[in-house]
């Protein structure tokens, strides 16, 4: 009986053994990220002794360098085994993180942080590519399970980081850096046990149909539709920075809500994602169903941004502000889950089969650009007050509708893209 239960549980995760191992990679990886994400600025301030201006410059430079990681990883994945490249990028992240312990020199810290950021963005694209190939037509469900695991990892890492911050010693901060570095090394070790996933097959014209193409023939840089799609994605990914930067700053500077509400809303976000991301994947059983989620996504953006504006209205007291912020956090979490579901599917099916890595690398630029420019956009919105949130909501809604129109005639005719059975690249 226990064996049957275990088998049934395993069957619910697409990708078989390698899919389960990839989930283990995500759990380990994001636990380390949770240790570091919320404490990086504090480490550079209190341990490395940098000024506020230096910390801001370091984070900006490292994020800028990280932008190159996505397209670079995509190109390499089309030429080498994706598992091998993924191991290298995880080792780069681990080495970059550990090297931060060796110096308090600003220039060297910038180099090490930039290397870590480059590896981080590259790893993200490679993990997505690996997952798409392993899970095949069940990738939407796998993505939902993976996001649930990711949020669990972040929550575990965040709780451990909170404990270290309560201690507040140099040793505690250094332990967080070590934990983040070790998580990358452990993730790399798990990847070495994974089987290289099959690449999409490529039909080859010529006298010998049994001969595969020498290499990728398509390029995302000449694919106007994919470039426009990626540009709209950079806007829609702002939901992430709204939560991480916008909500806390808005609560502190513009509302009467207690400051302690900010971390509680982040907890609410994690709980909702863990509880509903997998069930929400059922809303997108096909590619075209995933595209239709852009319409409720637009609605969720409207509700979220209007609620944020209402939380700071002149007539809003403390409890009215708290209620409005809870509504905003819930709506924006729904937007996050909807966008994660449809973005995963559309970014894969719109990519050319013979250059899937390069295409997903370009798509990864959307996240990188949002991480660099997003805080500036949200800061400007907060400075503009309630009208700023209404304006941002209008932009997000218009972008979702524009993406819905853009992708209408460019999706594959089958309901879910399945690699054609022709000549394998393997």
């Amino acid at each position: 009986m226990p064996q049957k239960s275990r088998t049934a549980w395993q069957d619910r995760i697409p990708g078989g053994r390698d899919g389960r191992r990839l989930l283990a990679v995500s759990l380990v990886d994001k636990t380390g990220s949770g240790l570091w994400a919320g404490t990086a600025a504090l480490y550079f301030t209190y341990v490395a002794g940098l000024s506020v201006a230096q910390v801001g410059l370091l984070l900006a430079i490292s994020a800028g360098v990280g932008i190159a990681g996505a397209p670079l990883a995509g190109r390499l994945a089309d030429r080498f085994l994706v598992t091998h490249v993924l191991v290298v990028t995880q080792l780069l992240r681990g080495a970059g993180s550990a090297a931060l312990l060796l110096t308090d020199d600003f220039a060297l810290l910038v180099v090490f942080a930039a290397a870590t950021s480059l590896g981080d963005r590259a790893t993200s694209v490679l993990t997505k590519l690996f997952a798409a190939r392993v899970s095949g037509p069940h990738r939407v469900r796998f993505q939902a399970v993976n996001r649930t695991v990711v949020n669990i990892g972040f929550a575990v890492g965040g709780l451990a980081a909170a404990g270290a911050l309560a201690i507040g010693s140099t040793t505690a901060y250094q332990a967080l850096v070590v934990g983040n570095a070790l998580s990358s090394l452990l993730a790399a070790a798990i990847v070495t046990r994974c089987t290289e996933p099959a690449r999409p097959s490529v039909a080859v014209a010529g006298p010998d149909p049994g001969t595969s193409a020498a290499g990728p023939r398509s390029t995302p840089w000449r694919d106007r539709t994919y470039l426009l799609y990626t540009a709209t994605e950079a806007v829609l990914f702002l939901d992430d920075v709204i939560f991480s930067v916008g909500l806390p700053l808005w609560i502190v500077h513009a509302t009467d809500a207690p400051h302690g509400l900010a971390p509680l809303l982040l907890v609410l976000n994690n709980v909702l994602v863990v509880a509903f991301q997998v069930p929400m994947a059922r809303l997108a059983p096909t590619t075209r169903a995933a595209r239709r989620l852009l319409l409720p996504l637009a609605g969720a953006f409207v509700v979220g941004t209007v609620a944020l504006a209402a939380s700071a209205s002149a007539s809003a007291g403390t409890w009215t502000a708290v209620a409005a912020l809870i509504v905003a956090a819930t709506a924006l979490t729904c937007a996050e889950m909807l966008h994660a579901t449809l973005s995963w599917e559309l970014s894969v099916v719109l990519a050319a089969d013979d250059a899937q890595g390069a295409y997903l690398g370009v798509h990864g630029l959307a996240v990188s650009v949002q991480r660099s420019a997003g805080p500036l956009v949200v800061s400007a919105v907060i400075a503009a007050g309630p009208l700023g949130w209404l304006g941002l909501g209008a932009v997000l809604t218009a972008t979702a509708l524009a993406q819905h129109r853009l992708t209408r005639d460019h999706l594959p005719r089958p309901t879910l893209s399945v690699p054609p059975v022709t000549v394998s690249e393997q």
Side-chain angles (χ1 to χ4, degrees):
M1 180 66 70
Q3 181 62 34
K4 289 183 179 180
S5 176
R6 179 173 180 268
T7 301
W9 175 82
Q10 291 176 341
D11 289 343
R12 291 175 64 86
I13 299 176
R17 181 181 60 184
D18 287 326
R20 296 191 294 274
R21 285 176 175 168
L22 190 57
L23 292 179
V25 169
S26 293
L27 180 62
V28 170
D29 187 330
K30 298 311 177 184
T31 298
S33 297
L35 291 173
W36 178 245
T39 58
L42 298 177
Y43 174 86
F44 291 127
T45 300
Y46 296 114
V47 179
L50 301 184
S51 67
V52 174
Q54 285 178 315
V55 172
L57 183 60
L58 181 151
L59 295 176
I61 292 174
S62 61
V65 172
I67 291 176
L72 177 61
R75 296 284 291 180
L76 291 175
D78 283 332
R79 286 161 173 74
F80 304 99
L81 297 180
V82 66
T83 49
H84 290 182
V85 183
L86 186 52
V87 167
V88 170
T89 59
Q90 287 283 14
L91 292 177
L92 175 62
R93 294 175 69 207
S97 296
L100 296 174
L101 298 170
L102 304 178
T103 183
D104 58 3
D105 179 77
F106 176 71
L108 288 177
L109 288 173
V110 169
V111 171
F112 297 147
T116 304
S117 179
L118 184 73
D120 180 68
R121 298 315 311 147
T123 297
S124 178
V125 168
L126 293 167
T127 302
K128 179 178 180 179
L129 179 61
F130 185 96
R133 290 178 177 174
V134 166
S135 56
H138 305 291
R139 57 181 165 266
V140 170
R141 176 171 177 79
F142 182 87
Q143 182 267 354
V145 176
N146 186 64
R147 288 202 79 241
T148 301
V149 171
V150 163
N151 275 269
I152 293 173
F154 267 124
V156 172
L159 290 173
L165 291 178
I167 298 173
S169 66
T170 297
T171 301
Y173 279 107
Q174 291 173 335
L176 296 177
V177 178
V178 171
N180 185 36
L182 289 177
S183 72
S184 295
L185 299 181
L186 180 55
I190 299 173
V191 172
T192 62
R193 300 186 62 197
C194 294
T195 306
E196 177 68 16
R199 302 184 185 187
S201 299
V202 180
V204 180
D208 183 5
T211 304
S212 65
R217 296 188 295 266
S218 303
T219 170
W221 301 108
R222 297 177 183 174
D223 189 331
R224 182 172 176 271
T225 298
Y226 204 84
L227 292 176
L228 288 173
Y229 168 71
T230 300
T232 60
E233 285 286 86
V235 177
L236 296 182
F237 274 122
L238 284 173
D239 57 9
D240 176 65
V241 76
I242 290 175
F243 244 108
S244 62
V245 177
L247 268 175
L249 291 179
W250 183 250
I251 289 172
V252 170
H253 294 291
T255 77
D256 293 328
H259 297 178
L261 180 64
L264 295 179
L265 293 180
L266 293 177
V267 172
L268 174 64
N269 172 266
N270 282 327
V271 170
L272 290 176
V273 171
V274 170
F276 295 108
Q277 185 68 76
V278 172
M280 190 168 286
R282 298 170 189 157
L283 300 176
T286 68
T287 299
R288 295 187 180 277
R291 171 181 167 269
R292 287 195 292 270
L293 293 181
L294 283 162
L295 300 179
L297 173 64
F301 280 135
V302 170
V303 173
T305 52
V306 168
L308 282 172
S311 68
S313 67
S315 60
T318 299
W319 292 110
T320 301
V322 168
L325 289 166
I326 292 174
V327 171
T330 302
L332 291 171
T333 300
C334 289
E336 174 190 337
M337 292 187 287
L338 288 167
H339 183 231
T341 299
L342 66 92
S343 175
W344 178 282
E345 176 67 11
L346 296 184
S347 64
V348 172
V349 300
L350 291 173
D353 285 341
D354 63 346
Q356 196 178 60
Y359 271 76
L360 293 183
V362 167
H363 183 261
L365 287 174
V367 177
S368 299
V369 169
Q370 176 271 136
R371 288 189 174 184
S372 297
L376 297 177
V377 173
V378 170
S379 296
V381 167
I382 292 174
L387 288 178
W389 287 117
L390 297 178
L392 180 60
V395 170
L396 291 169
T397 301
T399 303
L401 297 177
Q403 188 178 107
H404 185 268
R405 176 65 181 270
L406 173 68
T407 57
R408 181 183 60 185
D409 300 324
H410 297 278
L411 299 181
R413 290 302 173 188
T415 55
L416 261 178
S417 60
V418 180
V421 182
T422 54
V423 183
S424 175
E425 287 182 319
Q426 286 296 89

